[in-house]
Amino acid sequence: MFVIDDRQDPAQAAVIAPAPGPRRFTRRKTARLIAPYLYLAPALILLVVWTYQPLVQAVQLSTYSWNLLPTAPMTPVGTANYSRLLDLPAFWGSLGRTATLILGLLPFTVLLPVLIALASRRVHGRARTFYQALVFAPFLVAPVAAAAVWRWLLHPGSGFVDQLVGTGHNWVYDSSTAQAVIIVITGWQLLGFAVLVVWAGLAGISGDYSEAAQVDGATPGQIRRWITLPLLSPTLLFLVLTTVLLSPTLSFPLIDSMTQGGPSQATTNIYYLLWDYAFHSFDAGLSAAAGVLLFVGFGALAAVLVWISEKVAVHDD
């Protein structure tokens, strides 16, 4: 009995089967190329709408003279706003106060977080969770609420601080201490966030290094000095960068709620100054010029800090 096998040889079928058309191949290739950008599209659209478009509008507005009234004409003035801004003593004074603010906040965002994070490694169990929550709690307080509470605490005569110290000093409305008050309150709020970042950095350091160092006879102090801190350097440089870039912004609610830039502009930094020009003096062109210079200056400073970070930071490779 003969059986007819009509199954096709795989090799012959591969030869006979028609090759996919170029149009189908092109569509698949195009879909693979477009897919990543489709995932990125929502974020890119929001970035363009809320960041780059306002930046372009600010650059355009800085070349006009306008008082923010819809019925008032916008007069082109070219670079006159920039020249006028650079001639104002208040602008240079605000830059100096901004630098003082940044330098004053660095101990609260770099030094103290490292000390607190290293000390918390000795706390274990539920006590450690409570300790971490207690440190992070001030960061959750709204700046306006914090400003109201601190004004009550620092009130001359009836405030808790004055009753404790007994000086009768007006800490908030004295030009010699107002800037220090803003620095301390802002640092108190940012301390919890900075400690959280340092905790994350310490968690990313492998314990093999310290164990190997202990085998070689290294003391705990030597391990912290020569192993932990160098490997923590990327985290610390990140905190320095965020302090430099965000300090004027994060201190704005406290300044606006407590001192309004005073007394005698003692707490007016560059960020509050451009807001003051726009919404107190109604000089939109001058405010936009200050904003553009602020963006360029802090952008250049951020680039330098990133370059230093790449050169100095020790990475666990």
Side-chain angles (χ1 to χ4, degrees), residues 74-130:
M74 299 176 62
T75 306
V77 295
T79 59
N81 286 324
Y82 294 95
S83 301
R84 187 157 57 99
L85 182 66
L86 294 176
D87 290 336
L88 291 175
F91 173 74
W92 298 105
S94 66
L95 288 180
R97 286 185 287 271
T98 303
T100 303
L101 175 68
I102 294 172
L103 294 175
L105 285 177
L106 285 176
F108 292 95
T109 57
V110 179
L111 181 60
L112 286 178
V114 172
L115 298 178
I116 294 173
L118 291 176
S120 67
R121 302 175 77 177
R122 302 180 181 179
V123 184
H124 303 284
R126 295 183 179 179
R128 184 173 185 178
T129 303
F130 176 76

Side-chain angles (χ1 to χ4, degrees), residues 224-309:
R224 286 192 296 267
R225 170 65 180 85
W226 299 108
I227 296 177
T228 304
L229 291 180
L231 291 176
L232 198 62
S233 58
T235 302
L236 300 181
L237 289 171
F238 168 76
L239 289 174
V240 172
L241 180 62
T242 54
T243 303
V244 170
L245 297 181
L246 299 180
S247 293
T249 307
L250 296 175
S251 62
F252 175 84
L254 293 173
I255 295 173
D256 191 50
S257 302
M258 298 183 69
T259 63
Q260 292 80 44
S264 302
Q265 293 189 336
T267 57
T268 301
N269 57 37
I270 183 63
Y271 192 85
Y272 192 85
L273 183 71
L274 68 89
W275 183 88
D276 183 71
Y277 284 153
F279 299 104
H280 283 171
S281 304
F282 297 101
D283 195 336
L286 193 64
S287 175
V292 172
L293 291 181
L294 176 67
F295 173 79
V296 173
F298 276 96
L301 189 57
V304 172
L305 290 176
V306 170
W307 178 80
I308 294 175
S309 175

Side-chain angles (χ1 to χ4, degrees), residues 5-271:
D5 185 10
D6 53 357
R7 290 180 298 177
Q8 207 169 15
D9 184 62
Q12 186 179 1
V15 175
I16 298 175
R23 181 176 299 177
R24 181 180 298 178
F25 178 75
T26 304
R27 289 178 179 176
R28 291 180 179 177
K29 185 177 180 180
T30 304
R32 286 196 299 266
L33 292 175
I34 293 177
Y37 297 99
L38 292 178
Y39 288 110
L40 292 175
L44 292 175
I45 292 172
L46 292 176
L47 189 64
V48 170
V49 171
W50 296 107
T51 302
Y52 295 118
Q53 181 181 356
L55 179 61
V56 172
Q57 292 176 344
V59 174
Q60 294 176 346
L61 186 59
S62 67
T63 61
Y64 288 89
S65 177
W66 184 42
N67 60 1
L68 292 178
L69 293 177
T71 56
M74 299 176 62
T75 306
V77 295
T79 59
N81 286 324
Y82 294 95
S83 301
R84 187 157 57 99
L85 182 66
L86 294 176
D87 290 336
L88 291 175
F91 173 74
W92 298 105
S94 66
L95 288 180
R97 286 185 287 271
T98 303
T100 303
L101 175 68
I102 294 172
L103 294 175
L105 285 177
L106 285 176
F108 292 95
T109 57
V110 179
L111 181 60
L112 286 178
V114 172
L115 298 178
I116 294 173
L118 291 176
S120 67
R121 302 175 77 177
R122 302 180 181 179
V123 184
H124 303 284
R126 295 183 179 179
R128 184 173 185 178
T129 303
F130 176 76
Y131 178 75
Q132 293 175 345
L134 190 66
V135 173
F136 189 72
F139 184 71
L140 303 177
V141 180
V144 176
V149 173
W150 277 100
R151 285 183 63 180
W152 173 71
L153 292 174
L154 296 172
H155 189 276
S158 60
F160 174 77
V161 175
D162 184 72
Q163 293 180 358
L164 184 65
V165 179
T167 60
H169 185 75
N170 195 339
W171 300 91
V172 178
Y173 295 106
D174 190 340
S175 58
S176 62
T177 57
Q179 178 81 321
V181 168
I182 297 298
I183 291 173
V184 170
I185 299 175
T186 307
W188 168 75
Q189 284 205 294
L190 295 180
L191 182 62
F193 170 77
V195 172
L196 183 65
V197 173
V198 176
W199 277 331
L202 290 174
I205 298 176
S206 175
D208 296 338
Y209 299 107
S210 59
E211 292 177 1
Q214 288 176 355
V215 171
D216 292 337
T219 63
Q222 291 174 333
I223 293 174
R224 286 192 296 267
R225 170 65 180 85
W226 299 108
I227 296 177
T228 304
L229 291 180
L231 291 176
L232 198 62
S233 58
T235 302
L236 300 181
L237 289 171
F238 168 76
L239 289 174
V240 172
L241 180 62
T242 54
T243 303
V244 170
L245 297 181
L246 299 180
S247 293
T249 307
L250 296 175
S251 62
F252 175 84
L254 293 173
I255 295 173
D256 191 50
S257 302
M258 298 183 69
T259 63
Q260 292 80 44
S264 302
Q265 293 189 336
T267 57
T268 301
N269 57 37
I270 183 63
Y271 192 85

